[in-house]
Amino acid sequence: MSADTTVSPDGGPAIVAGSPAPPSRQHRWWKARTDIRFATLTMAVLASSVVALTTVFLSLPATEQLNDGQVNPCLRGVAARVASLPTGYDQATTGTYLMQQCLRPFFAAQATTVGVGLAGQIGLAGLLYALHPWWLTRRRRLVPLPADRNADVLADLAMLARQAGLPHQPTWLLAPYAATHGGQAFGLPRRRRVALDVGLLVRFDTDRPGFRAVIRHELAHLRNRDVDQAYLTIAIWWSFALVALAPFVVLSLFPDLLRRPFPAALLQIGDDPGRLTHRLVTVLVLAAVVYLARNAILRSRETHADVVAAESDSDGALPRLVAALPWPRTPARRRVALPAWGGRSRYGTHPSPAERARTLTDTGRLARMGGWEMAGIGLTAGLALRGVSLLGGNLLGSRFFAMTLVALPVTTMLTAILATAVSRDPAATRRRMLLLPAALGAGVAASGPLSMGTIETSVTGVVGEDVGVGVGAFALSTVLLLIGLTLTAAWVWSVQHGQAGRLGVRQRRAIVVSAVAVSAPLLALWYWMSFTGGIVVSFRPGAPDPGWAIGWYAAVADWTGLTLMFRTQVMQTPITPAGMVLLWAVPTVVLRWWRRDERPTGLRRTLLVGLGAGLAVTAVGAGLPFAARAALPVEILHAPANMEWDASLGFVQVYHNVYTAVAVLGQAVAAGIVAAGRTRLRPVFVPVAVCTTAVLATLGLYVSRAVSSCVGLIGVQQNTLAQPCDGRLLLLDGYIGFNFHSIISWGAIAAVLAALVGAAARALFNVRADTTPEAVVTRHPGRPTIAALGLLALLAMSAAAAEAPSLYQYWKPKPPPAVPDLDPPVVDPCVIGAWREVVHETDLAPFGSLRYRFTGAGTTQTYRADGTVILDYGAGVTYTATADGHRVALTVTGQITARYQIRDGAIAYYDGAANGTEVWSLDGATQGTNSPDSSVSLSPDRYHCAGDTLIQSSANDDKSYRIELHRVVD
C-alpha cells in the first residue's frame, strides 16, 4: 500500500488520500455497538437517578407539608364521599378515581423534583464535557506543537490526517512532561485536538512506522466519532455520582436531614437495619452497572480504533506496538504499579494488549455480542422501565397506558438488539443462539428484585411490584420471559440458516423487523402483567349450573373453563393471529419459497399435518353433540324455566369450552409432530401447522353448531334465529373473530409446549437436524403449496380483522367517571336504634353462578346517631335453601361494624370491618368454613322506615334480597 492511499474496509478499490472513506456496513455495526453501550449507560443513569431523586423528594420539608396538609386529608375523605354517591354510580371505579385525584398533587410534585434533578444532572454533564479540553490541557500542561522545529513531523501528521479521511485537520499539541510513547484525541466538534507525548516525537526519528501506527490509532478515534461519546460518558458518570448517588446515600442514612435541625437529624438513622442494607446494596449495584457501562464504552472504542488504524498499517507496526504495551497499565502520576488483576481487561477502561491483539487478528469479535453484555443491556433496560414507566403512570393516573407507552419502545429496542445480534452472526452455534436470549432475559428479570420499588413501595406510591406477588410468581414470570426470548432468537436463527446462500442486508432487515413486530408487543404486555402480578392470575369457573352434582361433568366444566389473565390480555390484541402469519409469511418472501429450487423440505408435509389436525378437530366437534346427548340428562341440556341465571356456566358455555379444548389439543399435536421432524425450520413450520389447524377448527365450530341443532341440543341454538337443522347455522357470524382469537390464543400456548416436547423427543432419539443447507423439493410443483399458504394467510388475517372493532373498544381509554357535587347527607331519625330481623330473604350462589333463595332471621342491626352501624349475628344465624333436592345452609357468627350515610332514600355503607365466621353445610355435613377478612364491603340498601318496622332491599333494583326488621324495645 502506498503512503498516500488507503484501502476500503470492504476490500474495494483504493480511495485517494484526502477523500473521506465511506464506512462499510461492518464499520457501521461496530459503531452501532458503541451506540448501544452508550444507550445502556444512559438507561442505567436514568433508572438510578429516578430512584435517587425520588428519595430526595421524599426527604424534602415541602413534601411532608404537602402530605399532611393536602394529600392525607383528601384520602381520608374519599370513603365518606363514595358512600354518599347516589344510586347507580360505580363506587369502586369512582373511589379509585377520587384517590387518584387526591394523589395527583403528590405525583406532580414528585415529577417536578425528578425532572429538575435530571435537568441539573444533564446540565452538569454537559458542562463537564464542554470543559474537558480546558481540563486536559491544564492537567497535562499541553502546548502547541512547535512548527519551527517539527516541520517534517507536521507534514507527516497532515498526510496521515488526509489518509484518515478527516474533513478538518485537528490541532496538534505536545505533552512536554510525558515521557511515554502515546497520544490522546479529545476536543469539541470542529475543534478536535490530538496530544502527542514527548516520547512519541522521539519515536518519529527512531521508529517511523511505530509513530505512524500510534497517530493512525488516535485519528481513528476521530474518524469513528467516538471522542464525544467517550468524554460524555466520563461526564455523565461524574454528574450521576455528584447529583444523584451522593444525595441518595446520605438521605438513606439520614432521611430527616432536610426536615430536622442539623445535629438532631444525625442522631437517628432511617429505616430498620435490614431494609437500609437492602437499599444501600441495591444502589451500589445500580452504581456498579453505570460504572461498568462507562468502562465498556471506553474499552470498545479502543479496539475499534485499533481495527480501523490497522487497515492503513501496511508495515504491521500496530500489532507490534500493541504487544509491547505494559500491562497492567500504570498512570503517569502513579509511581508503583498495582498488582495485576485478571478482570481488569474485561471490566476496566482499557482492554489488555492480548485482547487487542486477538481483535486485530479476528475482527469479527467486534461484531459479536457476548452474554455479559446482553445481560447488562437487559438489566439497565428493565431498571429504566420500572422507574420511568411507574413515575409516568402515577402522574397520568393510568398506569397501564403510561407503562405500556414507555415499555413498547424499550421492548422494541431489546428485541431488535437480540434479533440483530443473532442475524449478524451466521456462524453462531445453537449453544450461542440459546446463550444470548438467556442472558438478556436474566438481565431483565434481575431488574425486578434490584428495583427500589421492591424495597419501599412508598417511593413510587403504588403497591404490587414483584416483591408483592411472591417468589413463585417471579419465577414463573422469568420462565415465560426466557421462553419468549429464546423462541425469538430461535426463529431468527432458523430463517438465517434456512437457505444455502448468505442472506442479503434487506433480507436480514426484514427478518429482524418481523421478529420485533411479533415479540416487542408481547414483551411489553409481559412487563405490565408481571409488574402487577397478573401474569400468574388464573380463574376456574367451578361447577356448572345445572349439573354440579355430576362429578365428571363438573370436572370437565371446571378445567375446560380455565382462564389465564395473560392469555386473556393477549387475546384482546391482534398479536397472536397476525404474528402467526408473519412468522411464516416473511420467510416465504425472504427465502423465495415460490421458486421450485428454493422451497425447503417439509413445507408441504407441514401443511398436510395442519390440515389433518384441523379436519380431526372438526370430526370430533361433529361427534360431540351425540356424546353429550347420550351422556347427560335432559335437565342439563335444557335449562329449567324457574331458574335465575347470572353469568351462569351452563351447558352452552361448557360445550363451547370443550370444543375449544379439543381445538387446542389439535394444534398442540400438529406442533409436536412438526417439531419432531428432521428440519432446522421448526420455528417457521410450527406456526404454519398451528395456523392451518386453528382456521379449520374455527370453521369446524360452525359445523358442530349445526350438528348440535340437528340432534336437538336446544341450548346450542337459543341465541340464533335459525330453525332446527337449518343450513344457515353453517354460515359464519359476527363472532367468527372472537372464536378464532380464542382458539388460536390458547393454541399458541399449547403449541409452544408441544413443540418443545417434540424437539426434545427428536434429540432424545439422537436424530439431529442436518447441519448442511436444507435440501429442496424438486418432485412436487410449488404452486399448490404457495396457493395454500396464501389462502391460509387470507383467512387468518380476515378473522383477525373481524375482531378489530371489539379490540378497539376494549383498549381505548375509558373516560373518567362523573362525580356529582354532593350535598350533606340527610339525617333520618327513624332508623336510629336497634332492629332485629324477622324476615331475611337473599339470593346466593353456593355452587357456581346459579342463585338460590336463602331465608333466615335473627340478626340485630344497630344504627347509631354518630354514623356507625353494627350487624350482630351473635352465636350464629342460619340461612337455608333447597338446591336440586338438597338442603344447603349458611351459618354466620360474629359482628360487622361499618359507617353509614343516608341519601336519596338509600343507606350507603363504608369502612366495613368483620369479625366472625361463615360455615357452609350440605344436608347437615359441613362443606367449608370461611373467616372473612377484617375489611368487608356492604351493598347499599333501599329502605322504608315506618314506626317500628324497617324494610330493606337492594338499592341496585335487582331484587336480590329483602329484609324486614322490627325495632328492639328496651
Side-chain angles (χ1 to χ4, degrees):
M1 185 194 313
S2 62
D4 59 349
T5 60
T6 186
V7 174
S8 167
D10 288 328
I15 300 175
V16 178
S19 62
S24 66
R25 296 189 181 96
Q26 187 77 347
H27 280 283
R28 286 197 293 268
W29 171 238
W30 294 342
K31 180 64 168 60
R33 284 198 61 195
T34 304
D35 295 339
I36 291 172
R37 290 188 175 99
F38 188 76
T40 301
L41 172 71
T42 304
M43 288 188 296
V45 170
L46 181 64
S48 305
S49 300
V50 168
V51 172
L53 294 172
T54 299
T55 301
V56 174
F57 165 74
L58 294 174
S59 302
L60 295 176
T63 303
E64 186 178 37
Q65 297 172 3
L66 177 65
N67 288 333
D68 295 340
Q70 183 176 354
V71 176
N72 293 334
C74 180
L75 291 174
R76 287 193 294 267
V78 167
R81 191 174 183 191
V82 169
S84 302
L85 291 174
T87 302
Y89 280 85
D90 187 340
Q91 294 191 353
T93 302
T94 306
T96 301
Y97 172 74
L98 292 176
M99 291 180 64
Q100 291 174 348
Q101 295 301 109
C102 291
L103 292 170
R104 185 173 292 276
F106 176 87
F107 293 133
Q110 178 190 10
T112 300
T113 302
V114 172
V116 171
L118 290 176
Q121 191 171 327
I122 294 172
L124 179 59
L127 179 62
L128 293 176
Y129 163 73
L131 292 177
H132 88 268
W134 168 82
W135 172 251
L136 288 175
T137 302
R138 181 179 180 276
R139 186 170 67 90
R140 301 191 62 188
R141 290 179 283 185
L142 302 177
V143 296
L145 184 64
D148 52 349
R149 298 190 303 271
N150 300 282
D152 53 346
V153 175
L154 290 173
D156 203 65
L157 292 174
M159 181 268 295
L160 293 174
R162 289 194 302 271
Q163 284 186 358
L166 299 181
H168 304 283
Q169 286 276 342
T171 300
W172 304 100
L173 303 176
L174 176 67
Y177 300 97
T180 53
H181 303 271
Q184 185 175 8
F186 64 100
L188 302 177
R190 294 186 176 275
R191 298 185 61 184
R192 303 299 189 192
R193 307 177 186 185
V194 177
L196 281 64
D197 296 346
V198 69
L200 186 60
L201 288 182
V202 177
R203 186 182 289 273
F204 178 81
D205 295 323
T206 61
D207 182 10
R208 186 71 59 87
F211 171 84
R212 290 176 175 175
V214 173
I215 297 301
R216 287 191 179 102
H217 175 89
E218 299 304 324
L219 294 176
H221 285 306
L222 302 181
R223 177 183 174 184
N224 295 340
R225 298 189 298 276
D226 60 24
V227 172
D228 294 327
Q229 280 186 344
Y231 291 99
L232 270 175
T233 296
I234 298 173
I236 288 174
W237 162 252
W238 283 110
S239 175
F240 164 72
L242 295 174
V243 177
L245 186 59
F248 174 83
V249 174
V250 173
L251 291 175
S252 294
L253 293 172
F254 309 104
D256 293 333
L257 186 62
L258 302 178
R259 297 192 296 249
R260 302 292 181 267
F262 177 69
L266 300 179
L267 298 179
Q268 183 177 4
I269 296 181
D271 288 337
D272 61 88
R275 192 173 187 178
L276 178 61
T277 302
H278 194 179
R279 286 168 60 91
L280 294 178
V281 169
T282 299
V283 78
L284 287 177
V285 171
L286 299 179
V289 170
V290 176
Y291 185 75
L292 292 176
R294 161 191 179 267
N295 291 352
I297 294 174
L298 299 179
R299 289 195 311 274
S300 64
R301 66 187 291 267
E302 293 298 327
T303 53
H304 189 188
D306 282 342
V307 173
V308 173
E311 293 174 350
S312 303
D313 185 20
S314 59
D315 299 319
L318 185 60
R320 171 172 54 86
L321 293 179
V322 167
L325 288 174
W327 190 257
R329 299 178 67 250
T330 303
R333 62 179 181 275
R334 186 180 301 154
R335 296 181 180 275
V336 181
L338 294 176
W341 174 41
R344 182 174 299 175
S345 64
R346 182 174 298 178
Y347 308 113
T349 58
H350 274 73
S352 67
E355 176 70 17
R356 296 173 68 173
R358 284 193 295 267
T359 304
L360 287 173
T361 304
D362 180 15
T363 59
R365 295 168 59 87
L366 288 176
R368 291 192 292 269
M369 300 191 71
W372 285 110
E373 183 177 2
M374 196 68 75
I377 292 173
L379 176 62
T380 53
L383 291 173
L385 257 181
R386 292 177 181 277
V388 177
S389 62
L390 192 54
L391 178 63
N394 290 334
L395 181 62
L396 297 178
S398 175
R399 293 198 303 275
F400 173 79
F401 176 75
M403 294 176 74
T404 306
L405 189 65
V406 175
L408 191 56
V410 176
T411 56
T412 299
M413 180 196 71
L414 289 177
T415 51
I417 291 174
L418 175 62
T420 303
V422 174
S423 68
R424 292 195 67 89
D425 195 0
T429 61
R430 287 185 175 89
R431 180 177 299 178
R432 177 173 173 78
M433 183 268 295
L434 295 175
L435 171 65
L436 294 181
L440 181 63
V444 174
S447 66
L450 291 177
S451 172
M452 200 60 63
T454 63
I455 306 171
E456 183 177 18
T457 55
S458 62
V459 171
T460 56
V462 175
V463 179
E465 299 202 37
D466 292 338
V467 70
V469 299
V471 177
F474 172 75
L476 179 59
S477 175
T478 302
V479 170
L480 294 177
L481 172 64
L482 293 177
I483 291 176
L485 293 176
T486 302
L487 292 177
T488 301
W491 183 83
V492 174
W493 187 90
S494 174
V495 180
Q496 179 79 13
H497 292 73
Q499 72 174 32
R502 185 185 178 94
L503 294 181
V505 176
R506 293 183 179 179
Q507 293 172 313
R508 285 205 310 266
R509 190 174 299 165
I511 294 171
V512 171
V513 170
S514 301
V516 171
V518 177
S519 303
L522 288 175
L523 185 56
L525 195 58
W526 169 90
Y527 166 69
W528 162 248
M529 297 294 290
S530 63
F531 186 90
T532 58
I535 199 167
V536 296
V537 174
S538 61
F539 301 100
R540 296 206 336 247
D545 298 319
W548 58 270
I550 303 177
W552 69 267
Y553 178 66
V556 169
D558 190 20
W559 284 104
T560 57
L562 175 67
T563 299
L564 299 177
M565 286 300 297
F566 182 70
R567 174 258 172 188
T568 301
Q569 296 295 328
V570 172
M571 180 183 168
Q572 299 300 330
T573 69
I575 299 174
T576 304
M580 281 287 184
V581 173
L582 277 178
L583 291 179
W584 52 262
V586 170
T588 301
V589 176
V590 169
L591 304 182
R592 296 175 295 181
W593 286 352
W594 62 84
R595 293 176 53 180
R596 173 179 295 187
D597 56 346
E598 297 287 347
R599 190 155 47 87
T601 59
L603 179 58
R604 182 172 177 269
R605 182 173 62 249
T606 299
L607 285 170
L608 292 177
V609 169
L611 178 64
L615 293 178
V617 171
T618 303
V620 173
L624 279 179
F626 298 96
R629 187 177 181 184
L632 296 174
V634 67
E635 57 267 21
I636 294 178
L637 303 178
H638 306 280
N642 60 346
M643 287 189 178
E644 298 181 12
W645 295 81
D646 182 13
S648 172
L649 183 67
F651 174 74
V652 175
Q653 187 62 46
V654 173
Y655 184 90
H656 181 83
N657 291 343
V658 169
Y659 182 87
T660 301
V662 173
V664 171
L665 180 61
Q667 295 171 87
V669 171
I673 294 175
V674 172
R678 190 171 179 266
T679 175
R680 66 178 54 170
L681 286 171
R682 293 185 186 92
V684 178
F685 285 171
V686 166
V688 176
V690 172
C691 259
T692 306
T693 307
V695 168
L696 292 176
T698 303
L699 299 177
L701 178 62
Y702 292 87
V703 174
S704 180
R705 183 180 66 175
V707 175
S708 299
S709 171
C710 292
V711 300
L713 294 183
I714 305 299
V716 177
Q717 58 182 358
Q718 282 178 343
N719 297 325
T720 66
L721 298 178
Q723 300 299 319
C725 215
D726 193 334
R728 286 179 293 175
L729 291 172
L730 291 171
L731 301 178
L732 306 182
D733 55 17
Y735 294 99
I736 179 66
F738 172 83
N739 294 328
F740 180 68
H741 273 70
S742 178
I743 289 174
I744 201 170
S745 59
W746 271 120
I749 297 174
V752 169
L753 301 177
L756 294 176
V757 172
R762 188 71 180 184
L764 183 64
F765 285 101
N766 199 25
V767 183
R768 296 178 299 177
D770 192 1
T771 58
T772 58
E774 291 286 352
V776 294
V777 176
T778 58
R779 61 181 181 275
H780 299 295
R783 289 185 179 179
T785 302
I786 299 304
L789 289 177
L791 179 61
L792 179 62
L794 177 62
L795 294 176
M797 297 304 292
S798 299
E803 192 68 0
S806 176
L807 300 183
Y808 171 75
Q809 293 297 325
Y810 182 87
W811 290 108
K812 75 174 184 179
K814 304 298 187 295
V819 182
D821 295 331
L822 302 178
D823 297 328
V826 177
V827 177
D828 189 348
C830 179
V831 302
I832 304 299
W835 304 82
R836 183 177 299 278
E837 296 179 353
V838 295
V839 176
H840 187 134
E841 300 175 346
T842 183
D843 294 336
L844 299 176
F847 306 113
S849 56
L850 184 62
R851 294 178 175 271
Y852 298 92
R853 176 68 59 153
F854 283 73
T855 59
T859 305
T860 300
Q861 301 185 21
T862 303
Y863 292 88
R864 295 175 178 174
D866 62 356
T868 60
V869 60
I870 300 176
L871 279 68
D872 189 357
Y873 297 92
V877 176
T878 301
Y879 305 93
T880 62
T882 300
D884 293 350
H886 300 275
R887 183 180 183 273
V888 185
L890 170 64
T891 302
V892 185
T893 62
Q895 288 185 342
I896 296 177
T897 60
R899 299 187 64 83
Y900 74 93
Q901 287 186 353
I902 299 177
R903 180 181 299 278
D904 299 333
I907 306 175
Y909 305 92
Y910 60 99
D911 291 346
N915 181 14
T917 60
E918 297 178 351
V919 179
W920 287 94
S921 63
L922 179 65
D923 293 332
T926 301
Q927 300 296 310
T929 301
N930 300 325
S931 297
D933 297 334
S934 59
S935 177
V936 66
S937 177
L938 299 175
S939 61
D941 298 327
R942 181 73 62 187
Y943 80 99
H944 174 71
C945 183
D948 294 335
T949 302
L950 176 63
I951 305 296
Q952 297 174 339
S953 60
S954 174
N956 298 323
D957 297 327
D958 57 4
K959 299 180 181 180
S960 59
Y961 64 89
R962 180 184 180 277
I963 305 173
E964 181 177 342
L965 305 99
H966 289 175
R967 188 182 299 275
V968 177
V969 181
D970 296 335

